[in-house]
Amino acid sequence: MGDMQKFAILTASHRIWAVSAIHGELDLLRNIHAALETRLKRGDRVIYLGNFMGHGTKVSETLDELISFRRFFLARYQNFPRDIVYLRGSQEEMWQKLLQLQFATDPRGVLQWMLDQGVGASLQAYGFNPQEGFREATAGAMQLTRWTNKVRRAMQEKPGHYQILGQLKRAAYPDNGTTLFVNAGINPSRPLETQKDSFWWANKGFQQVKGNFGPFTRLFRGYDPEQGGPKYDEYAVTLDGGCGFGGKLIAACIGLDGQVLEVLES
C-alpha cells in the first residue's frame, strides 16, 4: 500500500506508543521516556510524531535523548531499527530548507518566515545567531552557501543528529492498515501516496476528517498549529498538549484497532 522510502510500515506490532510534538523540551521528554521504560512490552512500537526541534531551549539535547532512548529500545527484546519511527514535522522540514537557503529566490524573506515559526531555537542550539543568516544572505549566494554549510557541519558534529534527520518518514501505519500516524494534517481529498507536504502543513484538512480515510479507520497527529489541546474524536485524534508552548508532552498507547489504551502526560 505504501512506499517504504516515504512511509513507515510497522510489522508484527502489538501496541503502538505515539509521542506528540516535543519542541526541544528535554525534561518533559525524559519524563515520558522514564515512564515508557516501565511500560514497554515485547511487540510494542514507538512513533515520534515530528517537531522534535524548534521553539524550546534544548533542541540539541533533545536529539541526544532521542538517540539514547533509541539505543535502549533496540536493545530491549532485540527490537529492529524499523520498530522505532521518527516522522517529519514542520520544524524538521524547515530545518532541511534552511540548509538549502541559498537556493531560495528570497532567502531573507524565507529566513524571516522560518524564524517566526520557531526555527531560531534550532539555530541557536547549534551555536548560530539567526541574524548571521540575514547578513550572509545580503552578501550573496556564495557567502550564504558557506554559512549553510557551516550550520550543516555543526549538526554533523553532534553524533547521530544528522543521521536521525535522514531517517524521517512522512507518515506511519501498522501493516494491518487500520490507523495512520501523521505530524499535523492531511488533505482528505487526496490519496495517501500523493499527500506530499500535507502531512505537516494541512492542519485544516485534518480537522475535516469525519470518516475513514481510505483504509484507515482512525488518524493520529502529534501537532496542532492552533494549539487547541488534545482531542480524542472518533476518526481523528490530536495528541498535542502544547509542549514547547508551556503545555504538556503526551504519549499515547494505541491498540491495533485504533483504541487509546493509556495516555501519559508530562
Side-chain angles (χ1 to χ4, degrees):
M1 178 170 54
D3 180 349
M4 293 192 70
Q5 294 297 316
K6 300 176 182 178
F7 307 114
I9 304 171
L10 301 170
T11 60
S13 308
H14 292 170
R15 307 182 304 175
I16 297 169
W17 287 93
V19 182
S20 68
I22 303 164
H23 289 131
E25 294 287 355
L26 174 66
D27 292 340
L28 301 187
L29 179 61
R30 282 178 172 166
N31 292 340
I32 289 293
H33 280 167
L36 286 178
E37 288 179 8
T38 67
R39 289 168 169 80
L40 283 170
K41 298 179 180 180
R42 186 179 297 274
D44 283 0
R45 307 293 181 248
V46 178
I47 303 176
Y48 297 92
L49 300 174
N51 284 36
F52 332 119
M53 306 176 74
H55 292 291
T57 59
K58 296 183 178 179
V59 170
S60 178
E61 295 91 338
T62 294
L63 289 177
D64 287 337
E65 174 66 17
L66 290 174
I67 293 164
S68 176
F69 187 80
R70 183 176 187 270
R71 294 193 193 102
F72 161 80
F73 178 79
L74 294 181
R76 185 162 186 165
Y77 303 130
Q78 293 77 53
N79 284 314
F80 294 99
R82 64 175 179 268
D83 297 332
I84 184 166
V85 175
Y86 308 90
L87 297 190
R88 179 186 299 271
S90 55
Q91 290 295 326
E92 292 74 43
E93 174 69 6
M94 285 188 289
W95 183 258
Q96 297 284 24
K97 298 298 184 187
L98 177 73
L99 298 180
Q100 305 172 44
L101 189 61
Q102 64 270 21
F103 299 114
T105 54
D106 178 17
R108 288 176 59 86
V110 171
L111 179 57
Q112 184 60 64
W113 179 81
M114 290 180 177
L115 294 175
D116 291 342
Q117 306 302 313
V119 83
S122 299
L123 268 174
Q124 291 170 344
Y126 293 103
F128 292 88
N129 185 326
Q131 295 305 313
E132 294 176 35
F134 289 112
R135 291 197 297 269
E136 304 298 357
T138 301
M142 185 173 295
Q143 190 67 22
L144 183 56
T145 300
R146 294 193 185 98
W147 182 75
T148 57
N149 284 340
K150 283 173 58 179
V151 175
R152 180 181 289 104
R153 285 195 298 271
M155 188 179 209
Q156 290 171 337
E157 288 172 359
K158 299 284 188 177
H161 286 209
Y162 199 70
Q163 288 76 10
I164 205 170
L165 290 192
Q167 300 173 9
L168 300 180
K169 301 296 185 181
R170 297 184 182 184
Y173 53 86
D175 55 4
N176 71 346
T178 55
T179 52
L180 179 67
F181 297 86
V182 302
N183 170 240
I186 61 163
N187 181 342
S189 67
R190 304 184 67 176
L192 180 70
E193 296 284 354
T194 62
Q195 289 288 313
K196 296 185 178 179
D197 61 357
S198 298
F199 295 120
W200 42 88
W201 296 126
N203 172 52
K204 298 295 185 184
F206 191 89
Q207 296 173 338
Q208 294 165 3
V209 174
K210 303 301 180 184
N212 290 7
F213 173 65
F216 303 107
T217 57
R218 209 167 194 198
L219 278 60
F220 293 82
R221 69 170 175 177
Y223 176 55
D224 175 11
E226 297 180 1
Q227 298 297 307
K231 293 185 178 66
Y232 299 91
D233 295 338
E234 182 178 0
Y235 295 103
V237 176
T238 296
L239 297 176
D240 187 5
C243 188
F245 302 92
K248 296 179 178 180
L249 180 61
I250 294 176
C253 182
I254 299 153
L256 293 186
D257 58 358
Q259 295 302 306
V260 177
L261 306 176
E262 184 178 4
V263 175
L264 305 175
E265 294 186 353
S266 173

